Short mmCIF file of all heavy atoms in Angstrom, two decimals:
data_model
loop_
_atom_site.label_atom_id
_atom_site.label_comp_id
_atom_site.label_asym_id
_atom_site.label_seq_id
_atom_site.Cartn_x
_atom_site.Cartn_y
_atom_site.Cartn_z
N LEU A 181 16.60 24.72 -61.45
CA LEU A 181 15.72 24.66 -62.62
C LEU A 181 14.48 25.51 -62.42
O LEU A 181 13.98 26.13 -63.36
CB LEU A 181 15.30 23.20 -62.88
CG LEU A 181 14.30 22.96 -64.02
CD1 LEU A 181 14.94 23.37 -65.35
CD2 LEU A 181 13.86 21.50 -64.04
N ASP A 182 13.98 25.56 -61.18
CA ASP A 182 12.73 26.26 -60.90
C ASP A 182 12.97 27.64 -60.29
O ASP A 182 12.13 28.16 -59.57
CB ASP A 182 11.85 25.42 -59.97
CG ASP A 182 12.56 25.02 -58.67
OD1 ASP A 182 13.73 25.41 -58.50
OD2 ASP A 182 11.95 24.31 -57.86
N HIS A 183 14.12 28.25 -60.58
CA HIS A 183 14.40 29.54 -59.96
C HIS A 183 13.55 30.64 -60.60
O HIS A 183 13.07 30.53 -61.72
CB HIS A 183 15.89 29.87 -60.06
CG HIS A 183 16.27 30.59 -61.32
ND1 HIS A 183 16.44 29.94 -62.51
CD2 HIS A 183 16.49 31.90 -61.57
CE1 HIS A 183 16.77 30.81 -63.44
NE2 HIS A 183 16.80 32.01 -62.91
N LEU A 184 13.39 31.71 -59.85
CA LEU A 184 12.59 32.85 -60.29
C LEU A 184 13.38 34.11 -60.01
O LEU A 184 13.88 34.29 -58.90
CB LEU A 184 11.26 32.87 -59.52
CG LEU A 184 10.31 34.02 -59.82
CD1 LEU A 184 9.74 33.88 -61.23
CD2 LEU A 184 9.16 34.01 -58.80
N ALA A 185 13.52 34.98 -61.00
CA ALA A 185 14.31 36.19 -60.83
C ALA A 185 13.52 37.27 -60.10
O ALA A 185 12.31 37.42 -60.31
CB ALA A 185 14.77 36.71 -62.18
N LEU A 186 14.21 38.01 -59.24
CA LEU A 186 13.61 39.20 -58.64
C LEU A 186 13.67 40.36 -59.63
O LEU A 186 14.66 40.54 -60.34
CB LEU A 186 14.36 39.59 -57.36
CG LEU A 186 13.99 38.88 -56.07
CD1 LEU A 186 14.98 39.25 -54.97
CD2 LEU A 186 12.57 39.19 -55.64
N ASP A 187 12.61 41.16 -59.65
CA ASP A 187 12.61 42.40 -60.42
C ASP A 187 13.52 43.43 -59.75
O ASP A 187 14.11 43.17 -58.69
CB ASP A 187 11.19 42.95 -60.51
CG ASP A 187 10.33 42.24 -61.52
OD1 ASP A 187 10.79 41.24 -62.11
OD2 ASP A 187 9.18 42.67 -61.73
N ASP A 188 13.59 44.60 -60.33
CA ASP A 188 14.31 45.72 -59.73
C ASP A 188 13.46 46.25 -58.57
O ASP A 188 12.50 47.00 -58.77
CB ASP A 188 14.54 46.81 -60.77
CG ASP A 188 15.21 48.05 -60.20
OD1 ASP A 188 15.57 48.04 -59.00
OD2 ASP A 188 15.36 49.04 -60.94
N LEU A 189 13.81 45.86 -57.36
CA LEU A 189 12.98 46.20 -56.20
C LEU A 189 13.14 47.65 -55.76
O LEU A 189 12.39 48.10 -54.88
CB LEU A 189 13.28 45.25 -55.04
CG LEU A 189 13.07 43.76 -55.33
CD1 LEU A 189 13.19 42.94 -54.05
CD2 LEU A 189 11.73 43.49 -56.00
N SER A 190 14.07 48.37 -56.36
CA SER A 190 14.14 49.80 -56.07
C SER A 190 12.92 50.54 -56.60
O SER A 190 12.70 51.71 -56.27
CB SER A 190 15.42 50.41 -56.66
OG SER A 190 15.37 50.41 -58.08
N ARG A 191 12.11 49.86 -57.41
CA ARG A 191 10.86 50.48 -57.91
C ARG A 191 9.72 50.37 -56.91
O ARG A 191 8.65 50.95 -57.13
CB ARG A 191 10.47 49.82 -59.24
CG ARG A 191 11.44 50.13 -60.37
CD ARG A 191 10.95 49.58 -61.68
NE ARG A 191 10.90 48.11 -61.68
CZ ARG A 191 10.40 47.38 -62.66
NH1 ARG A 191 9.89 47.96 -63.73
NH2 ARG A 191 10.41 46.06 -62.58
N ILE A 192 9.90 49.62 -55.83
CA ILE A 192 8.88 49.63 -54.76
C ILE A 192 8.93 51.00 -54.11
O ILE A 192 9.96 51.41 -53.58
CB ILE A 192 9.14 48.52 -53.72
CG1 ILE A 192 9.07 47.15 -54.39
CG2 ILE A 192 8.14 48.62 -52.58
CD1 ILE A 192 9.38 45.99 -53.44
N PRO A 193 7.84 51.74 -54.14
CA PRO A 193 7.91 53.15 -53.75
C PRO A 193 8.00 53.38 -52.25
O PRO A 193 7.57 52.55 -51.44
CB PRO A 193 6.60 53.73 -54.31
CG PRO A 193 5.67 52.58 -54.34
CD PRO A 193 6.50 51.36 -54.65
N GLU A 194 8.57 54.50 -51.90
CA GLU A 194 8.55 54.96 -50.51
C GLU A 194 7.09 55.09 -50.08
O GLU A 194 6.22 55.48 -50.86
CB GLU A 194 9.25 56.31 -50.40
CG GLU A 194 9.35 56.84 -49.00
CD GLU A 194 10.09 58.16 -48.92
OE1 GLU A 194 10.52 58.66 -49.98
OE2 GLU A 194 10.24 58.69 -47.80
N GLY A 195 6.82 54.76 -48.85
CA GLY A 195 5.45 54.75 -48.35
C GLY A 195 4.88 53.35 -48.26
O GLY A 195 3.84 53.14 -47.63
N THR A 196 5.53 52.38 -48.92
CA THR A 196 5.13 50.98 -48.80
C THR A 196 5.67 50.41 -47.49
O THR A 196 6.79 50.72 -47.08
CB THR A 196 5.70 50.16 -49.97
OG1 THR A 196 5.40 50.82 -51.20
CG2 THR A 196 5.13 48.75 -49.99
N LEU A 197 4.89 49.58 -46.83
CA LEU A 197 5.34 48.87 -45.63
C LEU A 197 5.72 47.45 -46.06
O LEU A 197 4.94 46.77 -46.73
CB LEU A 197 4.25 48.84 -44.56
CG LEU A 197 3.73 50.19 -44.08
CD1 LEU A 197 2.72 50.01 -42.94
CD2 LEU A 197 4.87 51.11 -43.65
N VAL A 198 6.91 47.00 -45.67
CA VAL A 198 7.46 45.73 -46.16
C VAL A 198 7.94 44.88 -45.00
O VAL A 198 8.68 45.36 -44.12
CB VAL A 198 8.64 45.98 -47.14
CG1 VAL A 198 9.25 44.65 -47.58
CG2 VAL A 198 8.19 46.80 -48.34
N LEU A 199 7.54 43.61 -44.99
CA LEU A 199 8.09 42.62 -44.08
C LEU A 199 8.60 41.43 -44.87
O LEU A 199 7.94 40.98 -45.81
CB LEU A 199 7.03 42.12 -43.10
CG LEU A 199 6.64 43.00 -41.91
CD1 LEU A 199 5.58 42.30 -41.07
CD2 LEU A 199 7.85 43.34 -41.04
N THR A 200 9.76 40.91 -44.49
CA THR A 200 10.24 39.64 -45.01
C THR A 200 10.46 38.71 -43.82
O THR A 200 10.95 39.13 -42.78
CB THR A 200 11.54 39.78 -45.82
OG1 THR A 200 12.62 40.18 -44.96
CG2 THR A 200 11.37 40.81 -46.92
#
Side-chain angles (χ1 to χ4, degrees):
L181 176 64
D182 55 1
H183 88 281
L184 178 69
L186 277 172
D187 282 5
D188 176 5
L189 302 189
S190 68
R191 293 185 295 174
I192 298 177
E194 183 178 1
T196 310
L197 302 184
V198 177
L199 283 180
T200 67

